[in-house]
Amino acid sequence: MSAAPAPPAPAVAPAFDHRRLDELMERAGLDALLATSKHNVQYLLGGHRYFFFDYMDAIGVSRYLPVVVYVRGRPEATAYIGNATEDWQLDNRPLWVSEVELSSWGAVDAVDRALAHLRRVRPGAVTVGIEPSFLPADAYLRLTQDPEVDVADGYLALERLRARKTPQELALVEQASTAIVDSMVAVFGSHGVGTTKHELVEALRREETARGLIFEYCLVSMGSSANRGASDQAWRRGDVLCLDSGGNLGGYIGDLARMAVLGEPDGELQDLLGHVDETQQAARRSIRPGARGEEIFHAADEVVRRGEFAASTSFVAHGMGLISHEAPRLTATGPVPYPNDHGDQPLEQGMVLSIETTLLHPTRGFIKLEDTVVVTDDGHRAFGDGARGWSVAQC
């Protein structure tokens, strides 16, 4: 029997693996998708994020709601519904999408236009996947008023689509990670006695911005306190300092934590950070294609359990990319609540993981390392892997 002919190439070249998305949608019983989160819209459009609404959504009596309409098996029918002024950006960088309508000023009119397009290209009863946490109530109600539309959850299919990063995506994560660590080293080396947590966070913001990142946050702890919010607490000799920061490059997040001490670290501090690093290294050695995600936790827990700091040490690993906790989701007991959908599934090349070990010592304080690791074809590779020991500030 002769092999079935290959499906025809789409009339346009999608910016993502449309065949994989079709497979994920079929598995979820979805005929079409309405993507409305900024991160998934950016992913499906190949990097587009409208600058005017990058930091806020509200305008007038509604909000900016970008919508990508995707019909399973028909990438050439994909449409983008954007704001009426978005042509300012798209004139300079056109999209791969052939159907672009830039006329909406709110959530409901954006969904109206998305439905009109869907009716033209996919008439009849249709199951539409939405992103429930990223679709406003008024837009959702308008969508459900169509008697031929059955609404279902499409977020997990989109999340799984993003789990394996392309070389271009990995390059952005690596650049962001390296820039964050370089920024932390610069801050450690230029600040000392009397510097407040507020001042350290502001200095890190300037360093990350100077390296081309969008500064998102910095969790900062100092001395014996486990409080990670910025304050007027001042750095004193012998105090440890933890900077845990997220910075964004092209929409992709770097998220790492590094340690410093004001003055030379004593033997106890070396032992404490050594225990944290030993846990991190054990977790990293278990990362490879085909290994189950839960093996990372087993490897880390083995080190934690046999150490003298077991009761005060915690470990977590999570996927990251366009958002700081995304697929693969490897645990249901971490600090961010979500189901453990992928812990028993094999890791795949191109997945990016954040692994982090935290030790809360009653007198020495908050001691942590957070690393960014990508699954490679022959194992793993860490991004921004410098300054993992004690950085020593002498100012």
Side-chain angles (χ1 to χ4, degrees), residues 139-163:
Y140 171 80
L141 291 173
R142 178 61 61 89
L143 186 61
T144 58
Q145 289 172 2
D146 190 316
E148 293 193 298
V149 170
D150 183 24
V151 175
D153 192 333
Y155 185 79
L156 294 182
L158 288 165
E159 184 191 44
R160 192 66 183 175
L161 175 68
R162 302 195 324 268

Side-chain angles (χ1 to χ4, degrees), residues 93-361:
R93 188 184 177 191
L95 303 176
W96 69 268
V97 178
S98 57
E99 295 287 334
V100 177
E101 183 171 348
L102 307 177
S103 58
S104 66
W105 278 104
V108 173
D109 59 340
V111 165
D112 280 341
R113 287 159 175 76
L115 272 175
H117 174 79
L118 185 60
R119 283 283 147 254
R120 289 195 300 272
V121 300
R122 181 57 167 82
V126 60
T127 299
V128 177
I130 64 168
E131 300 184 74
S133 296
F134 299 92
L135 186 65
D138 53 357
Y140 171 80
L141 291 173
R142 178 61 61 89
L143 186 61
T144 58
Q145 289 172 2
D146 190 316
E148 293 193 298
V149 170
D150 183 24
V151 175
D153 192 333
Y155 185 79
L156 294 182
L158 288 165
E159 184 191 44
R160 192 66 183 175
L161 175 68
R162 302 195 324 268
R164 295 175 58 179
K165 307 300 187 287
T166 65
Q168 293 77 17
E169 292 176 284
L170 293 175
L172 289 171
V173 176
E174 182 171 18
Q175 291 172 46
S177 301
T178 300
I180 288 170
V181 172
D182 288 348
S183 298
M184 290 177 176
V185 171
V187 170
F188 293 150
S190 58
H191 294 79
V193 173
T195 307
T196 68
K197 292 167 74 175
H198 276 305
E199 291 168 338
L200 289 164
V201 171
E202 174 58 20
L204 187 65
R205 183 195 66 77
R206 292 195 303 268
E207 293 288 348
E208 291 187 10
T209 301
R211 288 169 172 81
L213 302 183
I214 295 174
F215 176 80
E216 293 200 353
Y217 61 85
C218 177
L219 307 176
V220 53
S221 57
M222 182 186 290
S224 60
S225 173
N227 185 298
R228 306 181 77 193
S231 70
D232 289 329
Q233 180 184 356
W235 208 2
R236 303 175 303 179
R237 290 204 174 273
D239 280 354
V240 303
L241 170 68
C242 178
L243 296 181
D244 183 343
S245 180
N248 185 308
L249 181 64
Y252 288 83
I253 298 167
D255 182 13
L256 300 100
R258 294 293 185 262
M259 299 297 305
V261 60
L262 192 51
E264 292 293 333
D266 56 31
E268 183 180 44
L269 287 181
Q270 296 285 15
D271 289 344
L272 293 172
L273 189 56
H275 172 67
V276 169
D277 186 46
E278 183 183 4
T279 305
Q280 289 287 99
Q281 295 296 345
R284 287 162 62 153
R285 285 193 293 271
S286 67
I287 298 174
R288 62 190 182 279
R292 297 188 310 278
E294 61 196 10
E295 293 179 36
I296 302 172
F297 287 83
H298 297 331
D301 288 345
E302 184 177 343
V303 175
V304 171
R305 283 197 306 270
R306 69 169 185 256
E308 67 175 289
F309 310 109
S312 55
T313 303
S314 62
F315 173 84
V316 69
H318 58 86
M320 60 179 293
L322 281 170
I323 59 177
S324 60
H325 280 254
E326 64 178 37
R329 285 175 280 103
L330 306 176
T331 179
T333 60
V336 179
Y338 43 66
N340 177 11
D341 286 337
H342 310 121
D344 62 351
Q345 302 297 311
L347 298 173
E348 301 175 49
Q349 179 184 356
M351 288 181 168
V352 178
L353 306 174
S354 176
I355 60 172
E356 41 189 309
T357 303
T358 304
L359 194 162
L360 297 176
H361 192 275

Side-chain angles (χ1 to χ4, degrees), residues 76 214 350 366:
E76 74 283 353
I214 295 174
F366 189 96

